[in-house]
Amino acid sequence: MTTAAQSKAKPVAVRDVRDHRSSGAERVHLSCTRCGHEVVYSMAETKCTECGWEWLDLVYRGVTREDMITGNDALGRTSMWRYRKFLPVRDDRNIVSMGEGMTPLLHVGRFGERFGLHNVYIKDERPSATGSFKDRAASICISNWVEDGVKEMAISSTGNVAASFAAYSARAGIRLWIFMPEKVNTTKYTEVLFYGHNVVKVEGNYDQAGVMAKRFAQAKGIAADPGIRSPLRRESMKALAFEIAEDLGWDVPDWYIQAVSGGIGPLGVWKGFRELYDLGLTHKMPKIACIQASGCAPMAQAFLLDSDEIFEVKPHTEIETLTTGRPAGYPLIYKVVKDSGGHIGSVEDDEAFAAQELLAQTEGVFAESAAAVAFGGLIRMAKEGLIKPDEKVVAVCSGKGLRDIDFVRRRMKQSIFISLPGECDDFSAIQIRPE
């Protein structure tokens, strides 16, 4: 049965055109999000050729719901490339993959019940090749770089993007110049350097590192990755939505929750859920919740004022992955969250750690500090009544906790460590740890 909402829905991202199948080269188009003008996709197109707008989306001609359901039989459920017909690579031989995507969707009942929630799930991205959901972006972007003959690129990152892009670029034989803020922890620097690329430590924050990467690229005559402005970056996150819906039996959660810095993830996930809706595979859209670290929360501050304008903030959080002081994509995030009936909030670093610890001790999931911000936000939203007890919630565990181990070490209770000599018969000093 077609609902009233479906009959009024206007397709946004997917073109289900059975009688107008384009050639492989013309399957993927760029569409201006302001005027709707379309051109055949090319990495060289960075602005609308009609109105000059720089926010472009990828659209697909000739795709059907059957394409989504059956996917790529040759790949099965081994990676996000199962949804090959909804991803922007013209020739499969150019795909650079290490099995990213198709990560577990875990029901975390013990964690959720602590706050009266019965249907909490985690999209667990820790099994990805480098332990982060940024592997999705690396696979999509670098596959397109290979397709376009890119040999050298400059990027900026607080760590996770750097590690993912460094690994996948090494696999593709592409040389990277990686600009990272000085406060990034040594574990991340070591990992990135190990892949053999050029790493530049910038005496400043993430925004300044981004500026320096672009200036360097211009001076050297090479390309610089545009970050959130790249439709490829946003596109890489939409397979999260496909996987979540498929694992839920082509259903959609009531809430999708993610920690954000620049906001690429929720924009891509929203697009993915929209494509499923337009294909008629699902019958509603989720509410989107974006959670920031309170020490760098320009989106949350603007949303509290119900404003789509943002003011730059100077980061003062230990969660270095979430330190974009002036996220360029906020107006798009604001619209998505408002349209979905969602929420943008923030939590303190200590709240994030408390959620991180609870998740580990109730569900065995050791999440990175940035992911813990999402779970801290989930807890706060539950306590404030924004999430109802029976609503289905999916929060993203964006990466593994060991990558940001210093954040944990600074907060762990020293009393949990017990030291004994190698030969000992007296165990009276050992006490049971309180629940």
Side-chain angles (χ1 to χ4, degrees):
M1 178 180 293
T2 301
T3 66
Q6 284 178 284
S7 65
K8 294 179 181 179
K10 181 181 179 181
V12 175
V14 174
R15 309 303 168 91
D16 187 355
V17 188
R18 297 171 188 265
D19 60 349
H20 183 75
R21 295 184 179 272
S22 303
S23 68
E26 296 182 347
R27 178 180 60 89
V28 188
H29 284 226
L30 281 171
S31 176
C32 177
T33 59
R34 183 163 69 181
C35 75
H37 178 67
E38 280 191 28
V39 296
V40 174
Y41 166 64
S42 166
M43 274 184 59
E45 299 288 351
T46 59
K47 294 182 180 181
C48 177
T49 55
E50 286 291 313
C51 71
W53 189 239
E54 62 182 350
W55 295 99
L56 307 177
D57 265 346
L58 289 162
V59 297
Y60 301 81
R61 291 194 178 279
V63 292
T64 69
R65 58 183 290 160
E66 288 74 22
D67 292 329
M68 176 66 69
I69 294 170
T70 59
N72 187 326
D73 292 335
L75 291 175
R77 288 182 60 85
T78 59
S79 81
M80 69 179 184
W81 291 99
R82 164 177 165 73
Y83 309 109
R84 164 71 184 82
K85 293 182 180 179
F86 296 83
L87 297 174
V89 172
R90 299 180 185 91
D91 188 333
D92 287 1
R93 291 172 296 183
N94 294 319
I95 293 175
V96 181
S97 176
M98 289 195 278
E100 59 291 325
M102 286 299 165
T103 51
L105 184 67
L106 307 176
H107 181 251
V108 287
R110 296 186 68 229
F111 177 82
E113 290 293 346
R114 293 289 186 100
F115 315 102
L117 302 179
H118 310 311
N119 296 300
V120 179
Y121 294 81
I122 288 177
K123 182 60 171 166
D124 188 6
E125 293 290 287
R126 295 175 304 155
S128 298
T130 74
S132 163
F133 73 165
K134 297 300 185 181
D135 289 352
R136 296 172 179 268
S139 181
I140 293 261
C141 291
I142 292 165
S143 296
N144 276 264
W145 296 356
V146 169
E147 198 151 66
D148 273 36
V150 172
K151 300 298 183 184
E152 195 170 6
M153 182 74 74
I155 68 168
S156 59
S157 170
T158 54
N160 285 347
V161 166
S164 294
F165 276 62
Y168 281 72
S169 291
R171 187 168 176 81
I174 293 174
R175 186 185 191 190
L176 279 191
W177 295 86
I178 305 170
F179 290 72
M180 299 171 69
E182 59 183 335
K183 291 186 178 180
V184 170
N185 69 61
T186 56
T187 300
K188 291 180 180 178
Y189 267 111
T190 301
E191 181 179 1
V192 174
L193 283 164
F194 202 70
Y195 291 113
H197 298 288
N198 306 284
V199 180
V200 181
K201 180 184 287 190
V202 177
E203 296 177 0
N205 60 28
Y206 170 69
D207 297 302
Q208 291 169 311
V211 170
M212 294 304 295
K214 291 175 183 176
R215 288 180 181 173
F216 172 83
Q218 290 172 350
K220 200 172 188 299
I222 63 174
D225 179 75
I228 193 172
R229 287 182 173 85
S230 166
L232 294 175
R233 286 281 203 104
R234 301 193 300 276
E235 202 73 1
S236 68
M237 293 292 107
K238 76 177 188 182
L240 274 168
F242 297 164
E243 294 167 29
I244 290 168
E246 186 169 6
D247 283 343
L248 293 175
W250 298 113
D251 195 10
V252 173
D254 297 293
W255 284 95
Y256 172 85
I257 302 176
Q258 185 183 319
V260 296
S261 183
I264 291 174
L267 290 176
V269 168
W270 176 258
K271 184 174 185 288
F273 280 121
R274 183 74 211 189
E275 291 184 5
L276 294 173
Y277 182 84
D278 289 342
L279 287 171
L281 276 168
T282 59
H283 305 291
K284 68 176 183 180
M285 295 290 289
K287 290 173 277 192
I288 302 293
C290 301
I291 311 298
Q292 297 199 283
S294 295
C296 188
M299 294 190 198
Q301 292 170 14
F303 191 78
L304 185 63
L305 299 174
D306 197 19
S307 172
D308 64 355
E309 295 184 11
I310 204 163
F311 296 96
E312 185 172 2
V313 302
K314 185 176 180 179
H316 54 90
T317 171
E318 293 179 45
I319 305 171
E320 57 209 20
T321 306
L322 304 179
T323 53
T324 304
R326 189 180 181 86
Y330 173 69
L332 302 180
I333 287 284
Y334 175 82
K335 185 178 188 308
V336 162
V337 173
K338 293 292 284 188
D339 287 350
S340 74
H343 174 70
I344 302 179
S346 65
V347 296
E348 300 292 339
D349 287 10
D350 286 345
E351 284 182 87
F353 173 75
Q356 184 182 30
E357 186 177 43
L358 181 63
L359 188 62
Q361 294 174 8
T362 58
E363 301 291 349
V365 175
F366 186 12
E368 66 172 345
S369 57
V373 167
F375 301 117
L378 186 160
I379 293 169
R380 183 178 281 200
M381 290 170 64
K383 290 179 176 178
E384 293 175 355
L386 292 175
I387 302 175
K388 307 305 180 190
D390 292 320
E391 286 189 305
K392 191 176 295 180
V393 181
V394 173
V396 177
C397 178
S398 51
K400 58 185 180 183
L402 288 174
R403 182 169 280 170
D404 194 13
I405 195 66
D406 290 344
F407 177 82
V408 175
R409 283 176 176 157
R410 287 191 290 267
R411 288 170 170 78
M412 286 180 65
K413 298 181 179 68
Q414 294 301 309
S415 61
I416 70 171
F417 295 103
I418 299 168
S419 179
L420 288 175
E423 293 291 334
C424 179
D425 295 320
D426 181 8
F427 300 102
S428 59
I430 299 178
Q431 297 179 355
I432 297 174
R433 187 180 180 187
E435 293 292 334

